[in-house]
Amino acid sequence: MTPGTTGLSGAEETQEEWRGWRRAMRDALYGPEGFYRVGPEGPAGHFRTSVHASPLFAGAVARLLCRVDAALGHPAPLDFVDMAAGRGELVAGVLAALPADVAARTRAYAVEVAARPEGLDGRVRWLAEPPAGVTGLLFANEWLDNVPVEVAEVDAAGVARRVLVRGDGAERLGEPVAGAEAAWLARWWPPAGEEGRRVEIGLPRDEAWASAVATLDAGLAVAADYAHTAAARPPFGTLTGFRQGRETEPVPDGSCDITAHVALDACAAAHAGRCTPEHAPPDALLRPQREALHALGVTGARPPLALASTDPGAYVRALASASQAAELTAPGGLGDFLWLLQPVGAVDAAALLVDVADHEEQ
């Protein structure tokens, strides 16, 4: 055995090594054999997002892009950026749902670490990083929950310590949280002194979101995700895994998705913190997905029963659409997602979410 080596293979060393959760998540999700880099089925093979639940979601995002387009004075080109694009399902759906005149002016980008899937609409530009100088809409559906973070746990003395993990999922407590991470906890998620309380330190997500918003010259950035705010932080954290449609233990070996809910209020403040006082950003909004989708015309209202007699085919289609809309807006499910709407430039986020009928009258 060579001095200074363990005698283990690279995979075995990863299994035996104790790491913070941020590094473990990064390697397991985005490493060379990571969850998001391998497997032709993409995320859809392991969990169901709003994008996969119904084409109504892409239609609503397309409608939001049209409202941003109008607020910006119909620029040419108009940009749409799909963050964490998976296999391009959302960006393709948005392009298909846009009116022809808007689609003709739209530059569509998919941002994803995996390779471009075969058969994707040729108008979509596939990138590993978001483009700069965007004018339009940047949409991040279930991106931030997969940005790796450190996990901390309160020990018997009431001290928040970093949680270390091995490749097999075993955990132990490490050093006390310090520096910028401790400052983030103090401001956004002070852990109670009770032993066993856990938190996820959202600082990397704040930084990732602020960097994404900074690519916009004008328009709107939206993050839709599992989330919480300071008024209701979960007492034991939210770290979990998903594999083949089922929730599972978060084992950082590349075999499953690893996710944790997002402190979206902290993300919103991170962008504001990068702005100078003389260039204060417009107000950001936090809204439940059900409210945002209702404002964008996804209501789940059942069709009138009389339609079944006059046009049975239309009734069946409308009933199916109502069922899909109900799933997207359901309490206790996808409807509880939070949307963070972060405007850049002369865009009023609140005005973009008025009732769809009001927009159609304008």
Side-chain angles (χ1 to χ4, degrees), residues 43-215:
H46 296 271
F47 49 87
R48 183 176 175 85
T49 73
S50 297
V51 177
H52 307 121
S54 170
L56 293 175
F57 189 80
V61 176
R63 196 169 292 118
L64 179 60
L65 177 59
C66 289
R67 294 184 183 183
V68 172
D69 178 45
L72 294 174
H74 308 291
L78 172 70
D79 296 314
F80 176 68
V81 182
D82 179 10
M83 292 293 298
R87 295 301 181 265
E89 299 95 337
L90 177 60
V91 65
V94 168
L95 283 174
L98 287 174
D101 62 318
V102 179
R105 289 186 287 108
T106 298
R107 291 188 302 194
Y109 301 91
V111 181
E112 179 57 66
V113 297
R116 182 189 183 101
E118 294 183 5
L120 183 65
D121 191 317
R123 294 173 293 175
V124 177
R125 307 179 190 195
W126 196 265
L127 304 174
E129 299 288 341
V134 170
T135 298
L137 174 62
L138 180 147
F139 202 95
N141 185 63
E142 296 196 41
W143 168 48
L144 290 173
D145 66 291
N146 288 128
V147 172
V149 292
E150 297 291 1
V151 178
E153 182 175 319
V154 177
D155 67 11
V159 176
R161 293 182 174 272
R162 190 186 309 274
V163 176
L164 306 180
V165 62
R166 288 191 319 210
D168 60 2
E171 293 183 336
R172 74 180 187 192
L173 296 187
E175 70 280 7
V177 177
E181 293 178 341
W184 189 93
L185 284 182
R187 179 179 179 187
W188 293 109
W189 197 346
E194 181 182 343
E195 183 179 5
R197 294 290 183 116
R198 287 169 68 108
V199 298
E200 289 104 27
I201 304 172
L203 184 59
R205 292 164 174 185
D206 296 356
E207 295 168 347
W209 179 247
S211 294
V213 177
T215 65

Side-chain angles (χ1 to χ4, degrees), residues 239-333:
L239 189 74
T240 191
F242 286 93
R243 182 189 295 115
Q244 297 179 346
R246 295 181 179 274
E247 189 168 0
T248 185
E249 291 296 319
V251 179
D253 60 1
S255 68
C256 67
D257 181 33
I258 300 174
T259 176
H261 295 197
V262 185
L264 273 182
D265 48 350
C267 293
H271 167 65
R274 288 192 174 190
C275 300
T276 59
E278 61 271 23
H279 295 96
D283 290 337
L285 291 181
L286 279 171
R287 293 289 186 271
Q289 175 159 297
R290 74 177 64 85
E291 291 184 14
L293 290 182
H294 285 167
L296 293 168
V298 180
T299 65
R302 294 174 64 88
L305 189 58
L307 184 62
S309 301
T310 59
D311 191 340
Y315 178 77
V316 170
R317 291 190 296 272
L319 197 61
S321 179
S323 177
Q324 294 171 12
E327 180 180 1
L328 290 172
T329 58

